[in-house]
Amino acid sequence: MSDARGKAGVSRIDAKFAALRAEGRGALGIFVSAGDPDFETGLAILKGLPGAGADMIEFGMPFTDPMADGPAIQESSQRALKAGMTLTGVLEMVRAFRAGDQDTPMILMGYYNPIYSYGVDRFIEDALASGVDGLIVVDLPPEEDRELCLPALARGLGFVRLATPTTDDVRLPAVLKNTAGFVYYVSIMGITGTAEVPTDLVTKAVERLKRHTDLPVCVGFGITTPEQAAGIARCADGAIVGTAVVKTIKASLDHEGRATEATVSDTLGFVRGLADGVRGARRPAPHA
């Protein structure tokens, strides 16, 4: 049994969504960049996320050219890199997190270049040993599955794929073919954190995706408030919030971009508000 597996041989991701279905609610996924604004503060935030209500964590692998991310997440990545974060450091943080939490799904999110430089086989082995459950690599399309996706899946490391408003029914089977864990639906076009999520359109999109896959569908990009998170949690299997979280981190820093006494508490307080919204959102009962 690989280290990406939880109790009874069921992956942490699968186990989490099964538990949430039993509760009748959607998941709250939280994105933070590893090591933002520094290793110690970032680790304190990471360790505090489950207690603040995060059901799963997307852990950003800082990269110098995060082309799919908006300004706020780009800045969070730059802060982490400036503080000395590396891919080795990311995995070290996951190991430290796993020392106190064996249940919360942890998905690494980022770009292929750092993984390629690290070495694909070595990365997969080290990610599993650290306690990583899945990967989101935004610049590897299905046509490049042999690069990372298939080797990862063969070892029991989930590969989560993005679907967008322009992913039509012709393209969708290729996107879903080797997807594992859940499908990440990008609710708006463009880069992260630059527009509000259109809940009515998302509802229709989730319904369409559900006709093509039995995997949970989580929605991200554009969710900034507890009310928006609740709205998404009613129509999808999960709401993922990133930009608003890293903006909260930034707002707590001093004029030189360093952590203050408020950084951890402000960030976790914001996540608690999102979690309250999601937990208060009742989902329609599934059809018999």
Side-chain angles (χ1 to χ4, degrees):
M1 187 172 71
S2 78
D3 290 330
R5 300 282 167 178
K7 299 175 182 177
V10 179
S11 78
R12 292 188 186 95
I13 298 172
D14 295 343
K16 176 60 67 174
F17 281 107
L20 294 178
R21 280 194 297 272
E23 290 182 32
R25 69 172 180 87
L28 173 63
I30 295 295
F31 171 94
V32 289
S33 289
D36 176 30
D38 58 69
F39 188 97
E40 182 179 354
T41 308
L43 184 57
I45 291 171
L46 177 63
K47 289 182 174 181
L49 286 175
D55 296 302
M56 64 179 179
I57 297 166
E58 288 185 8
F59 207 37
M61 298 177 283
F63 182 47
T64 54
D65 185 26
M67 58 187 178
D69 296 310
I73 291 179
Q74 286 188 23
E75 289 177 11
S76 73
S77 187
Q78 290 164 2
R79 287 192 297 269
L81 291 170
K82 183 179 179 181
M85 183 50 54
T86 62
L87 190 48
T88 298
V90 173
L91 298 178
E92 182 182 342
M93 293 184 76
V94 176
R95 281 193 297 272
F97 174 79
R98 281 284 173 242
D101 187 309
Q102 287 295 318
D103 299 317
T104 304
M106 173 74 77
I107 297 96
L108 296 187
M109 186 170 187
Y111 299 82
Y112 184 51
N113 185 272
I115 297 171
Y116 178 80
S117 298
Y118 192 94
V120 169
D121 291 340
R122 176 184 168 221
F123 171 76
I124 293 172
E125 180 179 348
D126 290 353
L128 286 168
S130 300
V132 174
D133 302 294
L135 304 174
I136 301 174
V137 183
V138 298
D139 56 346
L140 277 184
E143 289 76 15
E144 305 295 335
D145 274 357
R146 284 186 174 86
E147 292 287 330
L148 177 62
C149 175
L150 295 180
L153 290 175
R155 295 288 304 279
L157 188 59
F159 203 89
V160 177
R161 193 80 72 184
L162 303 181
T164 74
T166 61
T167 307
D168 60 24
D169 288 347
V170 175
R171 177 65 173 169
L172 200 52
V175 170
L176 296 174
K177 182 179 180 181
N178 293 314
T179 297
F182 62 94
V183 179
Y184 188 137
Y185 180 69
V186 177
S187 61
I188 55 177
M189 293 304 298
I191 57 177
T192 59
T194 56
E196 291 189 4
V197 57
T199 306
D200 55 339
L201 297 179
V202 168
T203 300
K204 294 177 181 177
V206 170
E207 290 172 351
R208 182 172 72 91
L209 288 170
K210 290 286 193 178
R211 292 195 292 269
H212 290 267
T213 181
D214 293 328
L215 290 171
V217 178
C218 296
V219 177
F221 285 49
I223 303 170
T224 61
T225 68
E227 293 76 20
Q228 289 173 341
I232 293 300
R234 289 189 187 97
C235 68
D237 296 293
I240 299 171
V241 185
T243 295
V245 177
V246 300
K247 282 184 174 180
T248 302
I249 293 174
K250 180 183 178 181
S252 74
L253 305 179
D254 67 17
H255 66 282
E256 294 184 357
R258 295 175 302 196
T260 67
E261 292 182 357
T263 299
V264 175
S265 59
D266 284 2
T267 304
L268 297 181
F270 179 71
V271 172
R272 284 190 192 93
L274 295 170
D276 288 345
V278 169
R279 282 161 171 70
R282 300 303 303 170
R283 300 187 62 192
H287 296 295

